[in-house]
Amino acid sequence: MREYQRELAEPVFQGKNTVICAPTGCGKTVVALAICEHHLKVKGKGAKVVFMATKVDVFNQQYKLFQDHFQEKDPDIRIDGLCGNQGDQLSMKVVMENNDIIVLTPQILVNAMAGGEIPSLSCFSLLILDECHNTTGKHPYNIIMTSYLDAKLSKEQNGQHLPQIVGLTASVGIGSFKNQSEAENNICQLCASLDSRIISTIHTNTDELQSYVHTPDKEFFLVEKRHTDPFIRIIHDIMAKIEGLAKTVYNIESLSAIENRDYGSQKYEQWIVDVQKKCRVLQLKDQEEESRVCRALYNYTEHLRKYNDALIINEDARTKDALDYLSVFIQQVKNAGHDETEQRLTAYFDGQQGVLRGLSSGGQKENPKLDMLQYILEEQYRQNDETKSVLFVRTRALADALKSWIEESDSLKFLKPGVLIGRGHKSSQLTGMTLNSKKGVLDSFKSFDNQSKILIATSVADEGIDIPQCNLVLMYEYVGNVVKMVQVRGNQSMHQSINQSINQSINYSASQSQSINQSASHSVSQSISQPVSQSINQSASQPFSQSASQSASQSVNQRVSQSINQSINQSASQSTSQSVNQPVSQSISQSVSVSW
DNA sequence: CACGAGGTATCAGCCAAGCC
DNA sequence: GGCTTGGCTGATACCTCGTG
C-alpha cells in the first residue's frame, strides 16, 4: 500500500465513519481492501463486512478483485457476492451467515431488509459504499442510510452496535451546484446522509499521488459554422409548407403558447410535443371530425419533428446523415398505412430528394466541425498509430452518423469505429445495446490485436468503466459535468496509458447559446486543470481560503444541522441531532473546499 | 428591465424483476 | 437466457414568476 493510501484509510482505522475522497485511478479499491483486512483483524469473529457497488459492471470487477486479493492473503476468509442479474438467488440470510465479506449491489440489501431476511443493519460491522456520492434522493444507498439513521436515533438501538460506515468517491461534489454555497450544502448533505464527520483526502503525500495520477493535456477547438447551407433552406421551405397544410385543418397556432420556435431547435421539438398533447383533447362537436383532425395534425407534426431532427443532425454531422435519417423515416411511412395526407407529405420530400441528394453527395462542403475532427484524428494517428480513442457525443443519432462518416472517409476508415450506447428507453424507437453486447464492444476495443481504434460513445463509458488503453479522449459538442470529466481523466490515466493523454474538445461558438456552452466548458476545464486532489488539499491556496472557510464555518454548521435535521425528519424519528451536529462542520472546513 | 429560483419536459443512463 | 418493463438517477433547456 502506498503512503497516500494509508493516509486515506487512517480515520477508518480509528473506527470513525468516513467519506474517502480521492481521484479516480489512485487505487481506492486498494484502500478498501486494506480497510477490510484491518477490520477483520481487529474485530476477529465479530466482523461482517458489506461492500456495495452501484453498477453491475463495477460490482463484477470489485468482486473479482476481493476474491483474488483474499485468496492470496488469507484463504480462510469467506467471500460471496450477490447482484440482481444472477437468476437463482441464494437467500441473503444464508449468504450473510456464511461469509465474512459480502459484495453487493445496494438494491439487494434494500430488498433483503424489506423482506425481513436482514432484521437490522446491526448484523454488520462495516459498510463500504463505493461511488457514495449516489447517496441522494431515493437511491438505494439513501434508503439504506435512512434506515441506519433511523436505527441510530431510536432509543431501542442502544444495546446494539451499528456498523461503521465508509464511503468512497472520486468527488463529493455531484449535484447541480452553481456556486460555493451550493457546493458546501451538497457536501454537508452527503456527510449527513452518510452519518460521517470525516472527509478523508490526501494532505501530506500529494507528491506521491501526483506521481501515480497523471493529469492529461487539454485542448479546445473552436469551429465556425457552415457559411451557406442550401440544405437548411430547402428543409425550411418544406417545413413551412407542412405548417401551412396543417393550418388548413386546424388553427395550430392557438394550440400552444410556445413562441419563437425556430426550425432546427429544441424549442421547436417542444412545440411539437405540446401541440400533439393539446390536439388529443380538442373537444370538437363532431366525434368523427375530431378524430380526423387529430390524426391529420399528428401526421403533420410527426413529419415536422423528423425534419427538425434532420436539421439538428445536419448541424453536427454531414448533410448526408441528415438526409439518410429522413429517407428512412419516409420509407417507413410509405411501408405503413400511407393515407392521403401522408402521400402528400412524402411527395414534398420526394420532390426535393434529387436536389438534396445532389447537395449531400458532391458540391457542398462538409461540416467544418467534421473537418476539424478529421484533422485532429489524422494528426494523432500520424504521430502514433497505436492510439486508442474514445469519442464522446451527446446523442445516439450523432453516434451513428459519425460512425458512418468515419467508415466512409478514406483517410479515417482504418479506425474501424465501434459504437457504445446504452439500453434505450421505452419511449424511443431506437433499441439500445444489452449488457452483453456492450461488454462485447468494450472487450474488443480493449484487446490490442483488434483493429478497432476508436470508440464512439454516449455517456455510458464515462463513469466507472475502465478503459486503460485509451489515450485520446475527444468531446464532440459534449460538455460533461465536473465529476464526469474527472472520471474520464482517471480512466484514461489508469494503468499508465502508453502515451500522454490528450483531452480534446470540439466546440464552436456561433450563436449566443453556443458561446455560453463554450464558456461552460471553459469553466469545466479550469476546474479540472487543478486536479481535484489539489483543490481539496491545498485549500489555503484556493479562492476559498482558510480564513474564508473559518468564517464560513458558522454557516456551514447551520447547514449541516439543517441537512441533518432534514434527514432526521425524513426518517421520521425524534431528533437527537446534537450528537451528530458539531463535528461535521469542523472536519469539512478543515478538509474540503471546492474551487470553482 | 434584468436576474435568479423553481418547475417541467426531455434527454441520457442504471438496476431489478417479470415474461416468453 | 434474452428481452421488455417499471422505477429510479442526473444534466440540460426552457418557461414562469417574484424580486431588486
Side-chain angles (χ1 to χ4, degrees), chain A residues 3 6 8 129 136 232 277 324 332 347 419 505 510 517 587:
Chain A
E3 273 309 311
R6 199 179 310 280
L8 285 173
L129 293 80
T136 59
I232 294 178
K277 204 159 57 184
D324 286 346
Q332 273 173 0
V419 171
S505 165
N517 206 17
S587 67

Side-chain angles (χ1 to χ4, degrees), chain A residues 306 309-310 313 320-330 397:
Chain A
K306 293 293 173 179
D309 286 350
I313 295 175
K320 179 175 177 301
D321 298 311
L323 193 53
D324 286 346
Y325 178 83
L326 282 177
S327 301
V328 168
F329 169 67
I330 296 288

